[in-house]
Amino acid sequence: MSYNIAIVGATGRVGTEILNILSERKFPVKEVYALASSNSVGKKVSFGFDRILTVESVDDFDFSKVKIVLSSAGADISKKIAKNVTDSGAIIIDNTSYFRTDEEIPLII
């Protein structure tokens, strides 16, 4: 089984490292979407040695295209997209401070 995934904050330091780790560990990926703010749309990021992704806008992305969203773009972005992600049926794994104190959301370390 392979998954369609989105990396939110793909042009940032954590986002690029997420892409590196997923590639190195051969995470079963079908499609990978690199997402970031409108300032980064069109930039290129690497997914492994042989795959270059073009960054898309997180604001316009259709989250129904993915099963998993890995987000590390800051608490404000997480606040803005979380409901859209979950309403689309995807799972969001958020690496920001936004959900840390929410008792309804499990903290996974």
Side-chain angles (χ1 to χ4, degrees):
M1 175 181 257
S2 58
Y3 302 93
N4 288 348
I5 64 170
I7 310 303
V8 177
T11 58
R13 195 163 182 164
V14 175
T16 56
E17 190 59 26
I18 289 170
L19 287 165
N20 288 335
I21 290 170
L22 291 173
S23 176
E24 286 173 4
R25 297 189 181 177
K26 298 181 180 10
F27 187 82
V29 170
K30 183 176 180 182
E31 288 291 329
V32 181
Y33 298 92
L35 306 179
S37 71
S38 59
N39 295 335
S40 295
V41 170
K43 289 185 179 180
K44 307 292 186 191
V45 293
S46 296
F47 180 62
F49 293 109
D50 58 348
R51 207 157 160 194
I52 303 297
L53 307 174
T54 301
V55 175
E56 299 177 50
S57 172
V58 68
D59 296 324
D60 302 328
F61 188 73
D62 177 5
F63 287 102
S64 69
K65 297 194 295 188
V66 299
K67 276 307 219 182
I68 301 169
V69 175
L70 300 171
S71 179
S72 190
D76 290 340
I77 298 297
S78 294
K79 177 181 180 180
K80 185 176 176 181
I81 68 165
K83 182 146 177 47
N84 290 341
V85 172
T86 57
D87 285 352
S88 75
I91 295 168
I92 184 169
I93 300 170
D94 185 72
N95 188 38
T96 71
S97 61
Y98 183 68
F99 296 103
R100 286 190 188 145
T101 58
D102 187 330
E103 301 215 1
E104 299 293 315
I105 309 292
L107 178 63
I108 301 171
I109 300 173

